[in-house]
Amino acid sequence: MILVTGGAGFIGANFVLDWLSVSDEPVVNLDALTYAGNLENLASLKGDPRHIFVQGDICDRELVDRLFAEHQPRAIVHFAAESHVDRSIHGPGDFVRTNVNGTFTLLEAARGHWMSLEEAGKAAFRFHHVSTDEVYGSLGPNAPAFSETKTYEPNSPYSASKAASDHLVRAWHHTYGLPVTTSNCSNNYGPYHFPEKLIPLMIANALAGKPLPVYGDGQQIRDWLYVTDHCSAIRAVLAKGTPGEVYNVGGWNEKPNIEIVHTLCALLDELKPDPAGSYSRLITYVTDRPGHDRRYAIDARKIERELGWRPAETFETGIRKTVAWYLVNQAWVGHILSGAYREWVDTNYAGR
Ligand code: NAD
Ligand code: TYD
């Protein structure tokens, strides 16, 4: 079996669902259920004995040790993190705690478990660390996309904490020989994406007739990947990746934010027209994010060359699926728009 951390969040939940759709290997899912964790994402697994959910904190060493001893996982796939840049600007402490101390705790627990294994078990064991392209910093307009050898230049508390965790993972391989792999992926989108992030926030606001808040001039570029393509990339790294190696994952889909917002408005105009007029009337430019990175782009040639991975979705097919998913899953969004969510919206957007 495998141990997944953060499997009730956006990518983690998609990964667990994807894993169990292609494999019968059970998953132990450790998630603290912070504001971002949602068991509704895993509702379709209710009663499925292949999914064991444990509510708990990755910083809790005793608990993590117990899970390793009890379930003897052959691999750990580590998603759990504080993941939202804007939140990291308002409150960086949780980011250092979970992303840095949490990863350290998992590495130490995994090392203890790994040391206790026989040679064959030791060689087969994997610690897969899920990271982000944001650790590489911001690109100029004509700079080449991030390769695995790009220097680290994190600019936000979020990316700095992820960079720190990547360094710990690297060191645990180099120093102790722990068989780790790391993937640095570009921006994901798709089902179960928490509506504080650009794409689901714009869909939710448009459907509610609320302003669509575009930071600064809207010309910042992100490189978008449909979430199930990220899941298949992680499966490929787990199956065929070389310990100690880093794999950049992306979909070759660089888009300025304003173009994303216009695309979402056009799809909503087509699929759920508003008698009041095009949703693009709601686009509102607001004060920029402090330290806002201008451009991210991933060079995904290594994972394609070495592991044969390629994304299955284009941006056009993925974004259409995503909008359609949100339209039929309005109840899922509705349950999230709770007091805690509204409080965040007040904090982040009030001063803009
Ligand atoms: P998310 O915020 O949607 O989910 C994070 C999950 O981790 C939640 O279920 C939360 O409850 C859990 N968690 C948080 N702190 C925890 C703790 N201390 N102990 C146990 N569980 C805890 O995040 P996501 O977007 O699904 O991202 C998952 C991973 O992928 C992160 O490591 C992130 O850095 C990385 N990543 C995300 C993107 C993206 O576009 N979202 C891109 C590249 C990499
Ligand atoms: P986000 O989804 O927060 O991901 P990240 O910051 O990790 O890339 O934001 C994606 C881009 O969209 C980023 O350049 C910031 C911008 N953005 C807005 O313009 N308005 C918003 O309300 C949000 C949440 C993001």
Side-chain angles (χ1 to χ4, degrees):
M1 75 153 57
I2 62 166
L3 172 61
V4 167
T5 70
F10 163 47
I11 306 174
N14 274 286
F15 179 82
V16 171
L17 294 170
D18 177 77
W19 181 267
L20 293 176
S21 75
V22 296
S23 153
D24 278 331
E25 186 173 12
V27 173
V28 179
N29 182 355
L30 171 62
D31 194 298
L33 297 181
T34 67
Y35 80 92
N38 183 354
L39 282 180
E40 240 183 291
N41 302 355
L42 301 161
S44 61
L45 295 178
K46 203 163 187 232
D48 189 327
R50 299 172 305 165
H51 178 236
I52 300 162
F53 182 77
V54 179
Q55 182 172 0
D57 193 325
I58 57 165
C59 299
D60 181 345
R61 176 70 194 268
E62 242 177 72
L63 170 64
V64 179
D65 278 345
R66 185 155 55 73
L67 292 179
F68 271 113
E70 209 174 298
H71 299 288
Q72 300 283 319
R74 69 168 176 95
I76 173 167
V77 185
H78 173 34
F79 294 93
E82 288 293 336
S83 70
H84 189 34
V85 174
D86 291 321
R87 285 187 191 253
S88 81
I89 295 167
H90 290 280
D94 286 347
F95 287 72
V96 173
R97 181 183 174 279
T98 288
N99 301 0
V100 185
N101 295 343
T103 302
F104 164 71
T105 305
L106 291 174
L107 284 166
E108 279 295 80
R111 183 164 76 91
H113 168 70
W114 175 72
M115 301 267 286
S116 73
L117 299 173
E118 303 291 324
E119 279 318 301
K122 255 191 178 146
F125 185 79
R126 290 290 182 276
F127 185 114
H128 182 70
H129 177 57
V130 180
S131 193
T132 165
D133 59 359
E134 305 195 20
V135 298
Y136 296 122
S138 185
L139 287 169
N142 301 313
F146 300 131
S147 74
E148 289 79 1
T149 54
K150 164 78 177 66
T151 48
Y152 272 40
E153 293 178 287
N155 292 317
S156 71
Y158 164 65
S159 54
S161 65
K162 290 296 292 187
S165 67
D166 292 9
H167 292 325
L168 291 175
V169 170
R170 177 190 158 89
W172 260 241
H173 175 71
H174 194 79
T175 302
Y176 304 113
L178 188 69
V180 306
T181 47
T182 296
S183 52
N184 292 83
C185 188
S186 62
N187 284 58
N188 284 212
Y189 67 99
Y192 306 113
H193 203 181
F194 195 84
E196 66 184 352
K197 305 278 174 77
L198 179 74
I199 289 178
L201 179 98
M202 294 296 166
I203 299 172
N205 279 18
L207 293 174
K210 292 184 178 160
L212 308 180
V214 174
Y215 295 168
D217 63 4
Q219 294 301 329
Q220 302 82 6
I221 291 172
R222 299 291 182 265
D223 186 352
W224 295 92
L225 183 71
Y226 192 66
V227 63
T228 50
D229 281 326
H230 188 185
C231 297
S232 69
I234 293 170
R235 280 195 280 107
V237 174
L238 213 50
K240 297 180 272 183
T242 304
E245 289 295 313
V246 171
Y247 299 90
N248 283 359
V249 182
W252 305 98
N253 281 313
E254 285 186 62
K255 309 267 182 212
N257 292 338
I258 190 65
E259 190 182 321
I260 298 283
V261 177
H262 278 297
T263 301
L264 293 171
C265 290
L267 281 167
L268 287 169
D269 287 342
E270 177 194 326
L271 299 172
K272 200 175 189 334
D274 182 347
S278 170
Y279 291 99
S280 56
R281 74 186 190 283
L282 300 169
I283 293 175
T284 310
Y285 288 90
V286 301
T287 306
D288 208 353
R289 171 188 281 173
H292 198 171
D293 283 340
R294 201 68 187 161
R295 175 177 167 234
Y296 303 139
I298 279 280
D299 178 341
R301 283 178 295 181
K302 176 177 173 181
I303 188 168
E304 177 170 354
R305 189 176 62 242
E306 295 189 6
L307 308 185
W309 174 86
R310 288 185 70 134
E313 301 290 342
T314 63
F315 186 72
E316 289 64 34
T317 58
I319 199 71
R320 184 170 280 276
K321 276 189 186 176
T322 303
V323 172
W325 187 89
Y326 278 90
L327 286 173
V328 295
N329 288 282
Q330 281 294 289
W332 179 88
V333 180
H335 296 161
I336 289 170
L337 305 184
S338 63
Y341 178 79
R342 280 200 300 274
E343 223 171 84
W344 162 250
V345 170
D346 288 346
T347 310
N348 191 46
Y349 296 95
R352 287 187 189 275

